Amino acid sequence: GTVDAFVRLLQSPHFEVIEQAIWGLGNLAGYNTRVRDIVIAAGAVDPIANLLDQTQNNPSFVRNASWTLANFCRGRPGPKFEQVARCVPSLARILMNHDSEEILTDICWAFSYISDGGKGHIPFILQTNVTPRIIQLLEHNCLAISVASLRTIGNILTGDDSETQVAIDAGCLEAFNRLIVHNRKAVRKEVCWSVSNVT
């Protein structure tokens, strides 16, 4: 029905139509996890991720597409990782190359959900080399970005010793040392949880 129609519109020759279709799919996926899974099963992930890889100089499109891909990763229970894994390299690339708070917030939360889905997801994230950027964002002025980044690093630190070492080598402990005295309790709580995962 509606979902399949939106997915077909991703092949439109008209860019404005594609952008509206992506926005529609993002709205549907954000409604609840059942609808999210229908959208994912209809084949929306790959074409949107491919379009995002090809269209990084259009801020409006990047915002819309990254928000939609982030919505595909949200919710409990989470989606099947193999169905959304294609999102990871595309979102990582945007995270490393953009500074918009809205875009960073959406992607940081997406990574927090993905990294929380199981130990098998952590190597996939580490392969994108996005860890140093996430650690840089630990101290972002926007609380939502900071907390989402803390969750992601905390999840990475639940991995094996080599995965934990990647985060340590990228500077997480230095950042934690500064954030442990943050004025927001939510940040201090996440830092303590992350440090406990190291120890």
Side-chain angles (χ1 to χ4, degrees), residues 37-109:
D37 291 345
I38 290 170
V39 172
I40 291 170
V45 174
D46 285 12
I48 295 174
N50 292 338
L51 285 162
L52 185 58
D53 289 345
Q54 297 159 16
T55 318
Q56 294 195 32
N57 296 324
N58 182 325
S60 169
F61 181 84
V62 168
R63 167 81 179 96
N64 189 16
S66 57
W67 170 75
T68 296
L69 291 179
N71 273 359
F72 293 165
C73 302
R74 284 194 178 100
R76 292 288 175 266
K80 292 179 180 175
F81 182 64
E82 61 271 17
Q83 293 184 314
V84 295
R86 175 63 186 87
C87 295
V88 174
S90 299
L91 291 175
R93 197 172 296 112
I94 297 301
L95 191 68
M96 289 189 277
N97 294 313
H98 285 264
D99 289 314
S100 158
E101 282 194 7
E102 288 183 321
I103 291 172
L104 294 179
T105 300
D106 289 333
I107 296 177
C108 286
W109 280 111

Side-chain angles (χ1 to χ4, degrees), residues 8 10 54 69-70 80 93 115 117 124 140 144 172 176 197:
R8 284 194 298 272
L10 297 174
Q54 297 159 16
L69 291 179
K80 292 179 180 175
R93 197 172 296 112
S115 61
F124 202 85
H140 198 281
C172 72
F176 293 162
N197 289 337

Side-chain angles (χ1 to χ4, degrees), residues 4-27:
D4 291 329
F6 275 131
V7 172
R8 284 194 298 272
L9 288 174
L10 297 174
Q11 309 302 322
S12 170
H14 304 291
F15 192 73
E16 298 81 8
V17 172
I18 292 172
E19 200 163 4
Q20 288 298 308
I22 291 173
W23 180 79
L25 289 165
N27 273 328

